[in-house]
PDB file of all heavy atoms in Angstrom:
ATOM      1  N   THR X  18      15.662  21.503 -49.179  1.00 60.00           N
ATOM      2  CA  THR X  18      16.716  21.992 -50.059  1.00 60.00           C
ATOM      3  C   THR X  18      17.755  20.907 -50.333  1.00 60.00           C
ATOM      4  O   THR X  18      18.038  20.581 -51.477  1.00 60.00           O
ATOM      5  CB  THR X  18      17.425  23.213 -49.432  1.00 60.00           C
ATOM      6  OG1 THR X  18      16.442  24.183 -49.105  1.00 60.00           O
ATOM      7  CG2 THR X  18      18.420  23.816 -50.398  1.00 60.00           C
ATOM      8  N   CYS X  19      18.322  20.345 -49.274  1.00 57.00           N
ATOM      9  CA  CYS X  19      19.402  19.369 -49.462  1.00 57.00           C
ATOM     10  C   CYS X  19      18.916  17.925 -49.434  1.00 57.00           C
ATOM     11  O   CYS X  19      19.635  17.011 -49.826  1.00 57.00           O
ATOM     12  CB  CYS X  19      20.493  19.567 -48.421  1.00 57.00           C
ATOM     13  SG  CYS X  19      19.963  19.220 -46.738  1.00 57.00           S
ATOM     14  N   GLY X  20      17.689  17.692 -48.958  1.00 57.00           N
ATOM     15  CA  GLY X  20      17.138  16.343 -48.947  1.00 57.00           C
ATOM     16  C   GLY X  20      17.627  15.481 -47.785  1.00 57.00           C
ATOM     17  O   GLY X  20      17.331  14.297 -47.722  1.00 57.00           O
ATOM     18  N   ILE X  21      18.380  16.055 -46.845  1.00 56.00           N
ATOM     19  CA  ILE X  21      18.895  15.297 -45.712  1.00 56.00           C
ATOM     20  C   ILE X  21      17.779  15.098 -44.682  1.00 56.00           C
ATOM     21  O   ILE X  21      17.053  16.027 -44.349  1.00 56.00           O
ATOM     22  CB  ILE X  21      20.091  16.008 -45.051  1.00 56.00           C
ATOM     23  CG1 ILE X  21      21.258  16.066 -46.033  1.00 56.00           C
ATOM     24  CG2 ILE X  21      20.495  15.322 -43.751  1.00 56.00           C
ATOM     25  CD1 ILE X  21      22.432  16.865 -45.524  1.00 56.00           C
ATOM     26  N   VAL X  22      17.667  13.878 -44.211  1.00 55.00           N
ATOM     27  CA  VAL X  22      16.684  13.555 -43.182  1.00 55.00           C
ATOM     28  C   VAL X  22      17.446  13.110 -41.940  1.00 55.00           C
ATOM     29  O   VAL X  22      18.242  12.184 -41.995  1.00 55.00           O
ATOM     30  CB  VAL X  22      15.733  12.420 -43.640  1.00 55.00           C
ATOM     31  CG1 VAL X  22      14.780  12.034 -42.525  1.00 55.00           C
ATOM     32  CG2 VAL X  22      14.975  12.828 -44.888  1.00 55.00           C
ATOM     33  N   ALA X  23      17.243  13.793 -40.857  1.00 54.00           N
ATOM     34  CA  ALA X  23      17.878  13.405 -39.590  1.00 54.00           C
ATOM     35  C   ALA X  23      16.825  12.721 -38.730  1.00 54.00           C
ATOM     36  O   ALA X  23      15.716  13.215 -38.584  1.00 54.00           O
ATOM     37  CB  ALA X  23      18.431  14.638 -38.893  1.00 54.00           C
ATOM     38  N   GLU X  24      17.182  11.565 -38.183  1.00 55.00           N
ATOM     39  CA  GLU X  24      16.252  10.829 -37.334  1.00 55.00           C
ATOM     40  C   GLU X  24      16.913  10.474 -36.019  1.00 55.00           C
ATOM     41  O   GLU X  24      18.133  10.356 -35.932  1.00 55.00           O
ATOM     42  CB  GLU X  24      15.786   9.547 -38.028  1.00 55.00           C
ATOM     43  CG  GLU X  24      14.947   9.792 -39.252  1.00 55.00           C
ATOM     44  CD  GLU X  24      14.446   8.511 -39.887  1.00 55.00           C
ATOM     45  OE1 GLU X  24      15.019   7.441 -39.603  1.00 55.00           O
ATOM     46  OE2 GLU X  24      13.502   8.577 -40.674  1.00 55.00           O
ATOM     47  N   LYS X  25      16.098  10.312 -35.005  1.00 54.00           N
ATOM     48  CA  LYS X  25      16.595   9.941 -33.690  1.00 54.00           C
ATOM     49  C   LYS X  25      15.654   8.892 -33.114  1.00 54.00           C
ATOM     50  O   LYS X  25      14.438   9.035 -33.187  1.00 54.00           O
ATOM     51  CB  LYS X  25      16.631  11.165 -32.783  1.00 54.00           C
ATOM     52  CG  LYS X  25      16.995  10.890 -31.347  1.00 54.00           C
ATOM     53  CD  LYS X  25      17.006  12.172 -30.561  1.00 54.00           C
ATOM     54  CE  LYS X  25      15.971  12.090 -29.478  1.00 54.00           C
ATOM     55  NZ  LYS X  25      15.940  13.232 -28.608  1.00 54.00           N
ATOM     56  N   SER X  26      16.213   7.817 -32.555  1.00 55.00           N
ATOM     57  CA  SER X  26      15.387   6.808 -31.901  1.00 55.00           C
ATOM     58  C   SER X  26      15.043   7.290 -30.502  1.00 55.00           C
ATOM     59  O   SER X  26      15.881   7.833 -29.796  1.00 55.00           O
ATOM     60  CB  SER X  26      16.124   5.472 -31.806  1.00 55.00           C
ATOM     61  OG  SER X  26      16.230   4.899 -33.075  1.00 55.00           O
ATOM     62  N   VAL X  27      13.806   7.100 -30.126  1.00 54.00           N
ATOM     63  CA  VAL X  27      13.360   7.472 -28.798  1.00 54.00           C
ATOM     64  C   VAL X  27      13.488   6.245 -27.900  1.00 54.00           C
ATOM     65  O   VAL X  27      13.044   5.162 -28.248  1.00 54.00           O
ATOM     66  CB  VAL X  27      11.896   7.951 -28.834  1.00 54.00           C
ATOM     67  CG1 VAL X  27      11.402   8.253 -27.444  1.00 54.00           C
ATOM     68  CG2 VAL X  27      11.759   9.148 -29.749  1.00 54.00           C
ATOM     69  N   VAL X  28      14.104   6.413 -26.755  1.00 57.00           N
ATOM     70  CA  VAL X  28      14.256   5.315 -25.813  1.00 57.00           C
ATOM     71  C   VAL X  28      13.339   5.576 -24.625  1.00 57.00           C
ATOM     72  O   VAL X  28      13.392   6.622 -24.000  1.00 57.00           O
ATOM     73  CB  VAL X  28      15.727   5.183 -25.335  1.00 57.00           C
ATOM     74  CG1 VAL X  28      15.841   4.094 -24.299  1.00 57.00           C
ATOM     75  CG2 VAL X  28      16.637   4.924 -26.517  1.00 57.00           C
ATOM     76  N   VAL X  29      12.470   4.613 -24.359  1.00 58.00           N
ATOM     77  CA  VAL X  29      11.539   4.710 -23.253  1.00 58.00           C
ATOM     78  C   VAL X  29      11.908   3.643 -22.230  1.00 58.00           C
ATOM     79  O   VAL X  29      12.084   2.489 -22.583  1.00 58.00           O
ATOM     80  CB  VAL X  29      10.083   4.469 -23.731  1.00 58.00           C
ATOM     81  CG1 VAL X  29       9.114   4.538 -22.577  1.00 58.00           C
ATOM     82  CG2 VAL X  29       9.718   5.464 -24.819  1.00 58.00           C
TER      83      VAL X  29
END
Side-chain angles (χ1 to χ4, degrees):
T18 306
C19 66
I21 295 174
V22 176
E24 294 183 341
K25 174 180 118 177
S26 289
V27 176
V28 177
V29 179

